[in-house]
Amino acid sequence: MKIATWNVNSIKARLPNLIEYLKEAQPDVLLLQELKLTEDQFPELEIGDLGYNSAVLGQPTYNGVAILSKQPISDVKRGLPGDDEDDHARYIEAETSGIRVASLYLPNGNPIDTPKFSYKLAWMKRLAQHTRELLEHEEAFVLGGDYNVSPNEVDVFSVNAVATDAIFRPESRAAFREILYMGLTDAFRAMHPDEQRAYTYWSYQAGSFRKGQGFRIDHLLLSPALADRLLACDIDKKPRAQEKASDHTPVWCEISEPTPSPW
DNA sequence: ATGGTTGTTCCACAA
């Protein structure tokens, strides 16, 4: 089973790219971020024609997340718990294909001397608390999406370029580690422990993609039960190389069928 | 140090 995540940077602007990706890559589950539309504007018919069910959390203009799956989607939960005042559409979670999946769009947090950065850190605290609760059930789950955090120096093209960027601040990376060290597996890094210059995002500016100047900020974090089934994980750079591309490219992993319990 | 680009909305803001 193939699970992928992709920040499309407007699903309206990216619908041809999305349709081509679904046809070619054939993920069983696709986690989407930055839809930039409301739920009633979601292209459910076009996506349904390709054999995908969808669960969506939208809002006008900004944010927006979705789960697409070839299998039925159930037990949909919209919004990250922990703050009733937070109305950003950044988190959706559901059951599909026998696993729990979440699509998340973590706040960017720039500039760091503004409330945007404290919102990012507060959001990460809530994600940590929610992850703690998910882990108590010992389920197979994946938290996938645009984390807007590069975990380590190897995940950025230039340490200088991100010295004051919220994606690489020590506070952001510490909050990411707090979640990871609960026992989750960064699927890409688990399969490619020594790979360098492996990025998932390249700015539209200054020819960044052509020059290989990117960041690894999109991640698939697996629960222990799902990490046991991890077969492969990689970054698919093809969609980023297209005309009218998103500034992010998909990350995917291949998961084996669950093995029956031996007792 | 600045400006480089894209998307959406309304002529700025977010990334």
Side-chain angles (χ1 to χ4, degrees):
Chain A
M1 176 176 57
K2 183 174 181 176
I3 304 172
T5 180
W6 190 14
N7 177 326
V8 288
N9 185 20
S10 168
I11 197 169
K12 286 181 194 166
R14 221 65 62 204
L15 192 55
N17 313 53
L18 175 61
I19 288 170
E20 184 178 344
Y21 177 72
L22 289 172
K23 284 181 177 170
E24 282 205 7
Q26 289 287 322
D28 295 280
V29 176
L30 178 59
L31 310 171
L32 294 172
Q33 301 88 37
E34 273 210 273
L35 307 178
K36 296 190 174 181
L37 45 61
T38 54
E39 281 149 49
D40 59 297
Q41 299 171 317
F42 187 80
E44 192 174 2
L45 295 178
E46 290 89 335
I47 287 166
D49 282 346
L50 299 175
Y52 286 89
N53 301 298
S54 48
V56 183
L57 176 63
Q59 79 178 66
T61 312
Y62 300 115
N63 310 315
V65 286
I67 296 166
L68 310 189
S69 178
K70 290 185 175 181
Q71 297 299 318
I73 300 171
S74 62
D75 196 25
V76 179
K77 293 175 179 169
R78 291 176 174 84
L80 182 65
D83 182 1
D84 294 340
E85 308 285 295
D86 183 3
D87 57 358
H88 289 204
R90 294 182 178 275
Y91 187 92
I92 188 168
E93 178 187 310
E95 293 276 347
T96 190
S97 306
I99 62 175
R100 180 155 288 274
V101 300
S103 176
L104 65 93
Y105 177 42
L106 210 146
N108 171 293
N110 284 307
I112 54 172
D113 57 351
T114 68
K116 290 174 182 293
F117 189 50
S118 35
Y119 172 61
K120 174 178 196 157
L121 297 178
W123 204 95
M124 294 185 81
K125 281 285 170 202
R126 287 162 58 200
L127 181 62
Q129 179 54 32
H130 185 57
T131 303
R132 230 170 257 122
E133 287 163 19
L134 288 176
L135 282 166
E136 287 173 7
H137 302 102
E138 301 189 1
E139 288 177 327
F141 69 81
V142 52
L143 305 179
D146 178 359
Y147 279 75
N148 268 312
V149 177
S150 286
N152 294 104
E153 293 191 0
V154 69
D155 299 311
V156 300
F157 80 90
S158 158
V159 171
N160 281 342
V162 288
T164 60
D165 196 302
I167 72 161
F168 202 65
R169 291 303 301 162
E171 301 93 323
S172 310
R173 295 166 61 197
F176 184 85
R177 283 195 301 273
E178 183 186 349
I179 295 165
L180 199 63
Y181 290 176
M182 290 176 197
L184 301 190
T185 294
D186 173 347
F188 180 83
R189 196 47 78 196
M191 300 307 288
H192 305 274
D194 301 315
E195 190 166 332
Q196 302 184 30
R197 292 180 290 279
Y199 309 131
T200 65
Y201 163 87
W202 299 260
S203 168
Y204 287 125
Q205 300 176 165
S208 298
F209 183 64
R210 180 175 49 78
K211 291 190 271 191
Q213 299 183 338
F215 311 107
R216 193 173 72 93
I217 57 176
D218 300 86
H219 309 295
L220 293 165
L221 301 193
L222 313 185
S223 74
L226 201 60
D228 286 345
R229 295 161 53 188
L230 178 60
L231 297 173
C233 177
D234 222 326
I235 298 163
D236 185 350
K237 282 173 73 172
K238 197 174 164 193
R240 184 63 181 85
Q242 292 176 319
E243 289 294 304
K244 295 275 289 176
S246 168
D247 41 6
H248 296 249
T249 213
V251 184
W252 59 269
C253 67
E254 185 69 32
I255 301 292
S256 68
E257 293 309 308
T259 47
S261 170
W263 55 84

